[in-house]
Amino acid sequence: MSTFSAPKGTYDLIPPDSAEFLAVREALAAPLLRAGYGYVETPGFEQAELFSRGVGESTDIVTKEMYTLTTKGGDQLALRPEGTASVLRAALQRNLHRSALPVKLWYSGSYYRYERPQAGRYRHFSQVGAEALGAEDPVLDAELIILADDAYRSLGLREFRILLNSLGDKECRPVYRAALQEYLRRLDLDEDTRRRIEINPLRVLDDKRDSVQRQLADAPLMRDHLCEACKAYHEQVRELLGAAGVAFEDDPRLVRGLDYYTRTTFEFVHDGLGSQSAVGGGGRYDGLSEMLGGPELPSVGWALGVDRTVLALRAEGVRLDLAPGPRVYAVPLGEEARRVLFGVVTELRREGIAADFAFGGKGLKNAMKSANRSGARCALVLGERDLAEGLVQVKDLESGEQSPVPLDRVVTAVRAKVG
Ligand code: HAM
């Protein structure tokens, strides 16, 4: 133990769990690579105002959860709590929207929210995300949902559900918002919630308390207030998902915790995760570019939580086929053997064969213990007598059989053995 430990709400990824984490990250991104999304990487911090304007002044993320700091130069920065605003900022700054549209980008990295930590909710977490900028086309919304579904399925996840909703657009949403406010103002609610009605009434629908939910049974729904264009758009997304065999549930009460959404919104929830059940989510954000001072740029995207996806795999008991450890473990006995055998290990690795070495001058017994623990298929044992005869002992760690092989043919012999 050192004097220090990881900050509250964070955890270190260490072997062997870290291998699972990496594999999940890769699997979540793989369908995006096949669909023409290009990799984008933005800084871990941005001007704080990017998020307050983008994610929304009244959201929990901005009011309670942002890690903000003032630099020595007086800039107000924030550790990024999400990726969409940053990616759009980068695309606008680099004029990507002047090229062929949509611009399709994917990203993977760390995000920070000062939340109350609990299982599945951390202050530092990882997302794999995708953003398709500059096209208003239901096929694009469907593409993204299908790609996320493919990603989860490729990992072997089965017990997740897709919740789908439309939040309308700048025509129909204000009308709905007013109707919802009128309904909510008549309810018996606490001061905080009453304030929320005036700032962000849709969030009230998301209140988890029974006492509130009971009163919301007859609340007006966006679904019944969609304009004709939004209704038709949403119907097309639904049909495209159906045609692709992607099951979803219409959830007219789905509101997301970020303010930029318009029209299509969705969440992937996993039933084995308890209260932090959202493994991923996203939607369309047709007005965000203008909110950031950019041109009209209707866009859609999602972010999938890597941490929660790992938890979901565990909840379902799915074990991933992870990259194996070393195939070969080298055990030198003596100084000269160390030098020679390390040369063999280097050669094996250059040939693409994963190999490890008994470092630190371990004795035979300890070194063989390490070899067995490493999961390698065979051990190369080189003692002084072997060395004098130009041989190395190749020991099959499964059968225990051992045979001498000329040192200059050891790479070929090992390749034949471990494939
Ligand atoms: P979000 O729903 O805030 O959306 O986050 C997406 C996913 O990140 C969640 O479903 C969850 O799996 C994971 N996540 C969020 N907060 C935490 C946390 N504190 N601990 C662990 N995992 C967490 C967004 O971030 C949007 N930018 C998604 C998007 C992209 N919309 C359009 N494009």
Short mmCIF file of all heavy atoms in Angstrom, two decimals, residues 61 82-84 107 113 115 120-122 125 127 130-131 256 258 260-261 267 278-283 285 301-305 307-308, ligand 1:
data_model
loop_
_atom_site.label_atom_id
_atom_site.label_comp_id
_atom_site.label_asym_id
_atom_site.label_seq_id
_atom_site.Cartn_x
_atom_site.Cartn_y
_atom_site.Cartn_z
N ILE A 61 -25.68 17.48 -15.51
CA ILE A 61 -24.27 17.38 -15.94
C ILE A 61 -23.58 18.73 -15.78
O ILE A 61 -22.47 18.80 -15.24
CB ILE A 61 -24.19 16.89 -17.41
CG1 ILE A 61 -24.69 15.45 -17.51
CG2 ILE A 61 -22.77 17.02 -17.96
CD1 ILE A 61 -24.61 14.83 -18.89
N GLU A 82 -18.76 14.57 -21.59
CA GLU A 82 -19.33 13.80 -22.69
C GLU A 82 -18.59 14.18 -23.95
O GLU A 82 -17.77 15.11 -23.93
CB GLU A 82 -20.82 14.08 -22.81
CG GLU A 82 -21.17 15.51 -23.16
CD GLU A 82 -21.61 15.69 -24.60
OE1 GLU A 82 -22.43 14.90 -25.08
OE2 GLU A 82 -21.11 16.64 -25.25
N GLY A 83 -18.87 13.46 -25.06
CA GLY A 83 -18.06 13.67 -26.25
C GLY A 83 -18.69 14.46 -27.38
O GLY A 83 -17.97 15.00 -28.23
N THR A 84 -20.00 14.55 -27.41
CA THR A 84 -20.67 15.10 -28.59
C THR A 84 -20.29 16.56 -28.85
O THR A 84 -19.95 16.93 -29.98
CB THR A 84 -22.20 14.97 -28.43
OG1 THR A 84 -22.47 13.62 -28.08
CG2 THR A 84 -22.93 15.32 -29.70
N TYR A 107 -15.12 7.84 -31.70
CA TYR A 107 -14.12 8.18 -30.68
C TYR A 107 -14.21 7.23 -29.50
O TYR A 107 -15.16 6.45 -29.36
CB TYR A 107 -14.33 9.62 -30.19
CG TYR A 107 -15.75 9.94 -29.76
CD1 TYR A 107 -16.16 9.84 -28.43
CD2 TYR A 107 -16.70 10.33 -30.70
CE1 TYR A 107 -17.45 10.12 -28.05
CE2 TYR A 107 -18.01 10.62 -30.33
CZ TYR A 107 -18.38 10.51 -28.99
OH TYR A 107 -19.67 10.77 -28.63
N ARG A 113 -17.50 12.92 -14.66
CA ARG A 113 -18.70 13.56 -14.09
C ARG A 113 -18.63 13.41 -12.57
O ARG A 113 -18.41 12.29 -12.08
CB ARG A 113 -19.99 12.90 -14.62
CG ARG A 113 -20.18 13.10 -16.11
CD ARG A 113 -21.49 12.53 -16.63
NE ARG A 113 -21.48 12.48 -18.09
CZ ARG A 113 -22.41 11.93 -18.85
NH1 ARG A 113 -23.48 11.39 -18.27
NH2 ARG A 113 -22.31 11.92 -20.16
N GLU A 115 -20.40 12.66 -10.06
CA GLU A 115 -21.67 12.06 -9.68
C GLU A 115 -21.51 11.36 -8.34
O GLU A 115 -20.40 11.12 -7.88
CB GLU A 115 -22.09 11.01 -10.71
CG GLU A 115 -22.27 11.59 -12.09
CD GLU A 115 -23.21 10.75 -12.96
OE1 GLU A 115 -24.40 10.70 -12.64
OE2 GLU A 115 -22.73 10.16 -13.93
N GLY A 120 -21.66 0.88 -11.11
CA GLY A 120 -21.95 1.29 -12.49
C GLY A 120 -21.96 2.79 -12.71
O GLY A 120 -22.14 3.24 -13.84
N ARG A 121 -21.78 3.56 -11.65
CA ARG A 121 -21.73 5.02 -11.84
C ARG A 121 -20.44 5.55 -11.22
O ARG A 121 -20.23 5.45 -10.02
CB ARG A 121 -22.94 5.68 -11.18
CG ARG A 121 -22.99 7.18 -11.48
CD ARG A 121 -24.33 7.76 -11.21
NE ARG A 121 -24.59 7.81 -9.79
CZ ARG A 121 -25.78 8.11 -9.26
NH1 ARG A 121 -26.81 8.34 -10.04
NH2 ARG A 121 -25.93 8.14 -7.96
N TYR A 122 -19.59 6.07 -12.08
CA TYR A 122 -18.25 6.48 -11.65
C TYR A 122 -18.00 7.94 -12.00
O TYR A 122 -18.72 8.53 -12.79
CB TYR A 122 -17.19 5.58 -12.34
CG TYR A 122 -17.52 4.12 -12.21
CD1 TYR A 122 -17.96 3.39 -13.31
CD2 TYR A 122 -17.46 3.49 -10.97
CE1 TYR A 122 -18.31 2.06 -13.18
CE2 TYR A 122 -17.80 2.16 -10.83
CZ TYR A 122 -18.23 1.44 -11.94
OH TYR A 122 -18.58 0.14 -11.82
N PHE A 125 -15.12 7.54 -16.33
CA PHE A 125 -15.62 6.36 -17.04
C PHE A 125 -15.22 6.45 -18.50
O PHE A 125 -14.68 7.47 -18.95
CB PHE A 125 -17.13 6.24 -16.87
CG PHE A 125 -17.90 7.45 -17.36
CD1 PHE A 125 -18.46 7.48 -18.62
CD2 PHE A 125 -18.05 8.56 -16.54
CE1 PHE A 125 -19.15 8.60 -19.07
CE2 PHE A 125 -18.74 9.69 -16.98
CZ PHE A 125 -19.29 9.72 -18.25
N GLN A 127 -16.17 5.84 -22.66
CA GLN A 127 -17.21 5.67 -23.69
C GLN A 127 -16.55 5.37 -25.03
O GLN A 127 -15.44 5.81 -25.30
CB GLN A 127 -17.98 6.98 -23.89
CG GLN A 127 -18.89 7.40 -22.77
CD GLN A 127 -19.68 8.67 -23.11
OE1 GLN A 127 -19.32 9.41 -24.03
NE2 GLN A 127 -20.73 8.93 -22.36
N ALA A 130 -20.04 7.64 -31.42
CA ALA A 130 -20.10 7.86 -32.86
C ALA A 130 -20.98 9.06 -33.14
O ALA A 130 -22.00 9.23 -32.47
CB ALA A 130 -20.69 6.62 -33.55
N GLU A 131 -20.58 9.89 -34.08
CA GLU A 131 -21.38 11.05 -34.44
C GLU A 131 -21.41 11.13 -35.97
O GLU A 131 -20.36 11.05 -36.61
CB GLU A 131 -20.78 12.36 -33.88
CG GLU A 131 -20.36 12.33 -32.41
CD GLU A 131 -21.52 12.22 -31.42
OE1 GLU A 131 -22.68 12.38 -31.81
OE2 GLU A 131 -21.23 11.95 -30.22
N ARG A 256 -33.72 12.27 -22.20
CA ARG A 256 -32.32 12.04 -21.88
C ARG A 256 -31.79 13.19 -21.03
O ARG A 256 -32.40 14.25 -20.95
CB ARG A 256 -31.53 11.85 -23.16
CG ARG A 256 -32.16 10.79 -24.08
CD ARG A 256 -31.32 9.59 -24.30
NE ARG A 256 -29.96 9.89 -24.60
CZ ARG A 256 -28.91 9.50 -23.87
NH1 ARG A 256 -29.09 8.78 -22.78
NH2 ARG A 256 -27.69 9.80 -24.23
N LEU A 258 -29.40 15.17 -21.44
CA LEU A 258 -28.68 16.24 -22.12
C LEU A 258 -29.71 16.99 -22.96
O LEU A 258 -30.62 16.39 -23.52
CB LEU A 258 -27.58 15.66 -23.03
CG LEU A 258 -26.58 14.73 -22.32
CD1 LEU A 258 -26.94 13.27 -22.51
CD2 LEU A 258 -25.16 14.98 -22.81
N TYR A 260 -29.56 18.70 -25.81
CA TYR A 260 -29.46 18.99 -27.24
C TYR A 260 -30.32 18.11 -28.14
O TYR A 260 -30.35 18.30 -29.34
CB TYR A 260 -28.00 18.97 -27.71
CG TYR A 260 -27.14 17.79 -27.27
CD1 TYR A 260 -27.43 16.49 -27.64
CD2 TYR A 260 -25.97 18.02 -26.55
CE1 TYR A 260 -26.60 15.44 -27.27
CE2 TYR A 260 -25.14 16.97 -26.18
CZ TYR A 260 -25.46 15.69 -26.54
OH TYR A 260 -24.63 14.66 -26.18
N TYR A 261 -31.03 17.16 -27.58
CA TYR A 261 -31.72 16.21 -28.45
C TYR A 261 -32.95 16.76 -29.14
O TYR A 261 -33.69 17.57 -28.59
CB TYR A 261 -32.10 14.95 -27.67
CG TYR A 261 -30.89 14.14 -27.28
CD1 TYR A 261 -30.50 14.02 -25.96
CD2 TYR A 261 -30.10 13.53 -28.25
CE1 TYR A 261 -29.37 13.30 -25.60
CE2 TYR A 261 -28.96 12.82 -27.90
CZ TYR A 261 -28.61 12.70 -26.58
OH TYR A 261 -27.50 12.00 -26.24
N GLU A 267 -32.11 4.70 -25.94
CA GLU A 267 -31.23 4.26 -24.87
C GLU A 267 -31.15 2.74 -24.93
O GLU A 267 -32.15 2.07 -25.22
CB GLU A 267 -31.80 4.72 -23.52
CG GLU A 267 -30.72 5.10 -22.54
CD GLU A 267 -31.21 6.11 -21.52
OE1 GLU A 267 -31.98 5.73 -20.63
OE2 GLU A 267 -30.82 7.29 -21.63
N ALA A 278 -28.52 1.99 -17.97
CA ALA A 278 -28.25 2.43 -19.35
C ALA A 278 -26.82 2.07 -19.74
O ALA A 278 -25.87 2.58 -19.15
CB ALA A 278 -28.47 3.94 -19.47
N VAL A 279 -26.69 1.18 -20.70
CA VAL A 279 -25.33 0.86 -21.16
C VAL A 279 -24.91 1.79 -22.30
O VAL A 279 -23.73 1.92 -22.60
CB VAL A 279 -25.18 -0.62 -21.60
CG1 VAL A 279 -25.16 -1.54 -20.39
CG2 VAL A 279 -26.27 -1.05 -22.56
N GLY A 280 -25.89 2.42 -22.93
CA GLY A 280 -25.55 3.37 -23.99
C GLY A 280 -26.76 4.20 -24.34
O GLY A 280 -27.89 3.86 -23.97
N GLY A 281 -26.51 5.29 -25.04
CA GLY A 281 -27.64 6.13 -25.42
C GLY A 281 -27.24 7.18 -26.42
O GLY A 281 -26.04 7.42 -26.65
N GLY A 282 -28.24 7.77 -27.05
CA GLY A 282 -27.92 8.82 -28.01
C GLY A 282 -29.16 9.34 -28.66
O GLY A 282 -30.28 9.16 -28.17
N GLY A 283 -28.94 9.98 -29.81
CA GLY A 283 -30.07 10.54 -30.53
C GLY A 283 -29.63 11.63 -31.47
O GLY A 283 -28.43 11.86 -31.68
N TYR A 285 -29.44 15.52 -32.82
CA TYR A 285 -29.25 16.85 -32.21
C TYR A 285 -29.12 17.88 -33.33
O TYR A 285 -28.06 18.36 -33.63
CB TYR A 285 -28.05 16.87 -31.25
CG TYR A 285 -26.78 16.23 -31.78
CD1 TYR A 285 -25.79 17.00 -32.37
CD2 TYR A 285 -26.58 14.86 -31.71
CE1 TYR A 285 -24.63 16.44 -32.87
CE2 TYR A 285 -25.43 14.27 -32.22
CZ TYR A 285 -24.46 15.06 -32.79
OH TYR A 285 -23.31 14.48 -33.29
N GLY A 301 -26.06 10.77 -33.15
CA GLY A 301 -24.93 10.00 -32.62
C GLY A 301 -25.30 9.22 -31.39
O GLY A 301 -26.44 9.26 -30.93
N TRP A 302 -24.33 8.48 -30.88
CA TRP A 302 -24.52 7.78 -29.62
C TRP A 302 -23.21 7.62 -28.88
O TRP A 302 -22.14 7.82 -29.45
CB TRP A 302 -25.20 6.42 -29.76
CG TRP A 302 -24.71 5.36 -30.74
CD1 TRP A 302 -25.47 4.81 -31.74
CD2 TRP A 302 -23.44 4.65 -30.79
NE1 TRP A 302 -24.75 3.84 -32.41
CE2 TRP A 302 -23.52 3.72 -31.86
CE3 TRP A 302 -22.26 4.73 -30.07
CZ2 TRP A 302 -22.44 2.87 -32.20
CZ3 TRP A 302 -21.19 3.89 -30.41
CH2 TRP A 302 -21.30 2.98 -31.46
N ALA A 303 -23.32 7.27 -27.61
CA ALA A 303 -22.13 6.88 -26.85
C ALA A 303 -22.49 5.65 -26.03
O ALA A 303 -23.57 5.58 -25.43
CB ALA A 303 -21.67 8.02 -25.94
N LEU A 304 -21.60 4.67 -26.05
CA LEU A 304 -21.81 3.44 -25.31
C LEU A 304 -20.82 3.41 -24.15
O LEU A 304 -19.63 3.72 -24.34
CB LEU A 304 -21.62 2.22 -26.22
CG LEU A 304 -22.34 2.27 -27.58
CD1 LEU A 304 -22.10 0.98 -28.38
CD2 LEU A 304 -23.83 2.52 -27.41
N GLY A 305 -21.30 3.10 -22.97
CA GLY A 305 -20.44 3.09 -21.79
C GLY A 305 -19.65 1.79 -21.72
O GLY A 305 -20.24 0.70 -21.68
N ASP A 307 -17.53 0.81 -19.26
CA ASP A 307 -17.57 0.23 -17.91
C ASP A 307 -18.85 -0.59 -17.71
O ASP A 307 -18.81 -1.72 -17.23
CB ASP A 307 -17.54 1.34 -16.85
CG ASP A 307 -16.44 2.34 -17.10
OD1 ASP A 307 -16.56 3.13 -18.06
OD2 ASP A 307 -15.45 2.34 -16.36
N ARG A 308 -19.97 0.02 -18.08
CA ARG A 308 -21.25 -0.68 -17.86
C ARG A 308 -21.42 -1.87 -18.79
O ARG A 308 -22.09 -2.83 -18.45
CB ARG A 308 -22.43 0.29 -18.03
CG ARG A 308 -22.49 1.25 -16.87
CD ARG A 308 -23.76 2.07 -16.93
NE ARG A 308 -23.62 3.22 -16.04
CZ ARG A 308 -24.40 4.27 -16.06
NH1 ARG A 308 -25.39 4.34 -16.92
NH2 ARG A 308 -24.20 5.27 -15.21
P1 HAM B 1 -25.00 9.64 -21.88
O1 HAM B 1 -26.30 8.92 -21.85
O2 HAM B 1 -24.81 10.72 -20.89
O3 HAM B 1 -24.86 10.20 -23.35
O4 HAM B 1 -23.81 8.62 -21.72
C1 HAM B 1 -23.70 7.48 -22.55
C2 HAM B 1 -23.32 6.28 -21.74
O5 HAM B 1 -22.14 6.54 -20.98
C3 HAM B 1 -24.35 5.86 -20.69
O6 HAM B 1 -25.37 5.10 -21.26
C4 HAM B 1 -23.49 5.07 -19.73
O7 HAM B 1 -23.32 3.74 -20.18
C5 HAM B 1 -22.16 5.78 -19.78
N1 HAM B 1 -22.04 6.66 -18.60
C6 HAM B 1 -22.52 7.91 -18.45
N2 HAM B 1 -22.22 8.38 -17.23
C7 HAM B 1 -21.55 7.41 -16.57
C8 HAM B 1 -20.97 7.28 -15.27
N3 HAM B 1 -21.00 8.27 -14.39
N4 HAM B 1 -20.35 6.11 -14.95
C9 HAM B 1 -20.29 5.09 -15.84
N5 HAM B 1 -20.81 5.17 -17.08
C10 HAM B 1 -21.43 6.30 -17.45
C11 HAM B 1 -23.82 10.95 -23.78
O8 HAM B 1 -22.78 11.07 -23.21
C12 HAM B 1 -24.05 11.55 -25.16
N6 HAM B 1 -22.87 12.33 -25.52
C13 HAM B 1 -24.36 10.46 -26.16
C14 HAM B 1 -24.54 10.98 -27.56
C15 HAM B 1 -23.65 10.95 -28.54
N7 HAM B 1 -25.63 11.55 -28.02
C16 HAM B 1 -25.43 11.91 -29.28
N8 HAM B 1 -24.23 11.56 -29.61
#
